[in-house]
Amino acid sequence: MKKILIADDSFFQRKILTDIVSDMGYEFDAVGSGEALLEKVNDSYDCIFLDLLMDGMSGIDVLKALKERENKVPVVVITADIQKARKDECFENGATAFMNKVVSKDELIEILNGVFNQPK
């Protein structure tokens, strides 16, 4: 069974994401900060959902730290920030996919299907 790690400082957003991935039959862990994600992440996860704008470490900071660790787990950035430059920066730092908030179940399913059907 696929396992997803979710990092978002908004309880509401974490709840939306965890409800959707749970309904889809995936296992998950959810954390409220970039620091907590970095403490928890390992190769047992099949995908990471990462909020871009968080207190403490930003999503960009987390992406850079994951890149330094040579992270192989696909990272889906989720944000309300829709600037092209920000999106490009995410991809340059290792993001696999990019979703805008508010997350819809259909979009999340499409993204996960793409992530899980890519060769590692």
Side-chain angles (χ1 to χ4, degrees):
M1 176 176 290
K2 302 284 187 191
K3 189 171 181 181
I4 298 169
L5 179 56
I6 298 166
D8 197 308
D9 61 347
S10 163
F11 173 80
F12 178 72
Q13 288 296 327
R14 283 195 312 273
K15 177 78 170 117
I16 290 171
L17 289 168
T18 58
D19 285 350
I20 293 171
V21 298
S22 178
D23 288 348
M24 294 173 69
Y26 297 119
E27 292 182 23
F28 65 87
D29 287 320
V31 296
S33 70
E35 293 88 352
L37 179 144
L38 291 174
E39 288 176 14
K40 192 161 196 68
V41 72
N42 58 46
D43 290 339
S44 72
Y45 293 99
D46 298 290
C47 185
I48 297 168
F49 286 114
L50 175 64
D51 182 24
L52 192 59
L53 302 174
M54 294 186 286
D55 292 334
M57 286 186 85
S58 72
I60 294 292
D61 293 336
V62 172
L63 283 171
K64 289 177 181 178
L66 290 171
K67 189 174 181 179
E68 285 178 12
R69 294 181 182 187
E70 298 180 1
N71 173 63
K72 302 292 185 227
V73 180
V75 179
V76 178
V77 173
I78 302 174
T79 186
D81 186 343
I82 59 171
Q83 299 175 60
K84 183 182 180 329
R86 181 64 69 178
K87 188 174 182 177
D88 291 345
E89 185 178 14
C90 290
F91 286 125
E92 288 168 11
N93 284 289
T96 304
F98 196 88
M99 292 179 64
N100 291 325
K101 289 182 180 177
V102 172
V103 174
S104 75
K105 184 174 184 175
D106 290 341
E107 183 181 15
L108 193 137
I109 290 169
E110 184 179 323
I111 295 261
L112 282 176
N113 285 338
V115 167
F116 291 149
N117 290 323
Q118 290 180 358
K120 289 193 175 190

